[in-house]
């Protein structure tokens, strides 16, 4: 069962636009010419042009903003969630400017849902819940909710929490996390997240949930990250075991 | 800077609906009652109800279909892309029925884009390009494009390719991949993928790109996976190095 893989015309337009972008003809955040003008330039139908643009969107090179047009994407941040490197560090290492805002910090009872998710003995277990927003070059990219066992780091709320939590735990409390399990999926922003990330209500986001374990194997943190989807590229390296599983 | 974290009413409705789902009150794929009826049952406004439903959508429990209503999600497949386990195996192990369809298979020159992506010495390097669709319980969930160095597995197109490529490479050609680098991001389906995955044009997908290396360190495959976003949950485990990076 064979059929034609890529329509040549649309592929040619995609390649030409990608070359324009690579050569710096457009700048990050800049609006592309209207579709009408582009279709004229490439002497093609709007349907064909749209296919080429959607291909570039899939590749993360451009994005649509509220149907007002196509814009050149700022470079995505490479993020390896399997490594214990803080947001502040990996963003700076990529030559970008990170910022963390603390939205709320509270001590509360875990409640039924969280107790089940974290395998806590009781929904009355006290936890700290931090709600933070993170920005890159002034653009909001991430809303994060960290929930930590209060018994593991009792004085956490006394620390400055608008910086790396990993650093706070290590430097102020001598606590280190040694292992995590990650879960990554596509979700939908709720209204709160939409406002904080400047997305339309109902837009997609990338949801990363992580369970972090301490040195003695105790599950001590449940971390939920809600990413603006065009801001991040999750990059992971893996060695396969020498025998297939 | 503190503000109220979760509106209690919307959280209570979310919890009640989640409990209904957990208790099997709705079945996978089944439509939920209309929003009007639900708002009446919970004695709340449509806005509050919508917040609770969006929260459940974010958690992956329900999904919207073409604005015709809310449906209970089939369970997502857990997928660990860092392990060398084939689609056919990990789907079966989760008690589901996998199917692989070969859409096209061809030998071609790599071309400029792929040569750059794979670090090939020349765009004329011959590669095999497999275009496949994968289904779970009869529902299309994944479109995959595998591009392999033809010089690494010269007779690949003679093999049956509607099954695990890992198995074909190992059993028929004695070839094993030992390491990969993964890249995961949210993308937008192109029209071809939309049709193959039964998604609306312009819908989001989860794009996983993988570079696979052979035993001698040679990069031998570029794998692109375009997932129906509500079908999969990417699950990865990681140990942190004993010293933070």
């Amino acid at each position: 069962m064979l059929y034609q893989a890529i329509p040549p015309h649309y592929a040619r337009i995609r390649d030409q636009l990608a070359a324009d972008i690579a050569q710096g003809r457009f700048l990050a955040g800049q609006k592309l010419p209207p579709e009408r003008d582009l279709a004229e330039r490439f002497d093609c139908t709007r349907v064909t042009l749209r296919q080429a643009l959607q291909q570039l969107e899939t590749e993360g090179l451009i994005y649509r903003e509220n149907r007002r047009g196509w814009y050149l994407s700022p470079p995505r941040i490479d993020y390896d969630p399997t490594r214990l490197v803080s947001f502040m560090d990996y963003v700076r290492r990529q030559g970008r400017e990170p910022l963390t805002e603390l939205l709320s910090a509270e001590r509360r009872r875990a409640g039924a849902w969280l107790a089940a998710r974290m395998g806590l003995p009781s929904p009355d277990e006290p936890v700290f819940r931090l709600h933070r927003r993170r920005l890159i070059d002034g653009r909001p990219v991430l809303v994060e909710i960290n929930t930590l066992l209060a018994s593991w780091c009792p004085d956490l709320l006394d620390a400055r929490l608008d910086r790396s939590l990993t650093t706070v735990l290590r430097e102020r409390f001598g606590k280190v996390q040694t292992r995590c399990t990650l879960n990554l999926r596509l979700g939908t922003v709720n209204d709160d997240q939409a406002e904080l990330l400047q997305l339309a209500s109902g837009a997609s986001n990338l949801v990363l949930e992580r369970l972090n374990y301490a040195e003695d194997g105790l599950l001590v943190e449940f971390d939920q990250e809600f990413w603006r989807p065009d801001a991040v590229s999750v990059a992971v390296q893996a060695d396969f075991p020498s025998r297939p599983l």
Side-chain angles (χ1 to χ4, degrees), chain A:
Chain A
M1 177 170 52
L2 296 174
Y3 68 89
Q4 190 170 358
I6 298 179
H9 197 186
Y10 119 58
R12 192 161 53 78
I13 296 169
R14 179 244 158 252
D15 289 348
Q16 183 57 54
L17 282 169
D20 286 352
I21 290 169
Q23 287 160 21
R25 185 161 164 176
F26 307 112
L27 298 175
Q30 194 186 337
K31 192 172 180 179
L32 265 58
E35 291 188 6
R36 190 181 52 247
D37 297 1
L38 288 172
E40 195 169 308
R41 168 178 163 200
F42 292 111
D43 190 21
C44 68
T45 63
R46 288 287 280 274
V47 171
T48 302
L49 178 74
R50 193 64 72 92
Q51 281 181 302
L53 292 170
Q54 282 179 351
Q55 182 63 32
L56 290 167
E57 188 184 35
T58 300
E59 293 163 20
L61 293 178
I62 61 173
Y63 67 102
R64 238 176 313 200
E65 194 161 290
N66 295 333
R67 308 206 165 273
R68 283 189 291 115
W70 294 92
Y71 294 80
L72 190 65
S73 302
R76 288 173 191 249
I77 277 287
D78 281 324
Y79 170 38
D80 184 347
T82 67
R83 310 186 92 177
L84 195 61
V85 183
S86 79
F87 173 84
M88 304 304 278
D89 286 340
Y90 65 74
V91 171
R92 265 196 210 105
R93 281 185 205 172
Q94 293 175 53
R96 314 280 291 275
E97 192 51 42
L99 183 71
T100 298
E101 296 172 350
L102 180 64
L103 303 176
S104 72
E106 55 177 344
R107 184 189 163 97
R108 60 195 279 177
R109 68 189 283 276
W113 183 75
L114 200 67
R117 197 76 177 75
M118 292 184 72
L120 302 177
S122 154
D124 293 324
E125 183 80 22
V127 296
F128 296 126
R129 184 180 188 277
L130 314 183
H131 190 197
R132 304 191 297 173
R133 178 166 77 155
R134 300 184 127 167
L135 298 87
I136 296 176
D137 298 334
R139 183 192 193 208
V141 295
L142 165 63
V143 173
E144 186 170 17
I145 299 173
N146 302 86
T147 308
L148 294 107
L149 274 192
S151 59
W152 186 64
C153 48
D155 302 312
L156 183 67
L157 297 194
D158 299 337
R160 267 193 56 198
L161 296 169
D162 59 351
R163 57 196 194 115
S164 157
L165 190 55
T166 308
T167 306
V168 170
L169 288 169
R170 189 177 64 239
E171 293 183 357
R172 181 152 171 168
F173 301 102
K175 297 290 189 182
V176 177
Q177 297 171 337
T178 58
R179 191 168 66 83
C180 73
T181 62
L182 291 168
N183 204 289
L184 207 151
R185 60 186 165 74
L186 192 141
T188 305
V189 290
N190 61 31
D191 292 346
D192 186 35
Q193 293 160 8
E195 190 179 333
L196 290 168
L197 294 175
Q198 298 172 6
L199 289 167
S201 179
S204 295
N205 60 1
L206 203 59
V207 181
L208 197 146
E209 293 183 340
R210 178 163 37 189
L211 294 168
N212 283 326
Y213 297 82
E215 283 163 296
D216 55 4
L218 183 68
L219 171 59
V220 292
E221 181 183 6
F222 176 49
D223 173 28
Q224 291 173 288
E225 303 178 7
F226 304 93
W227 282 87
R228 202 185 146 96
D230 58 1
V232 67
S233 171
V234 173
V236 175
Q237 312 232 348
D239 291 309
F240 299 134
S242 54
R243 294 284 78 200
L245 299 168

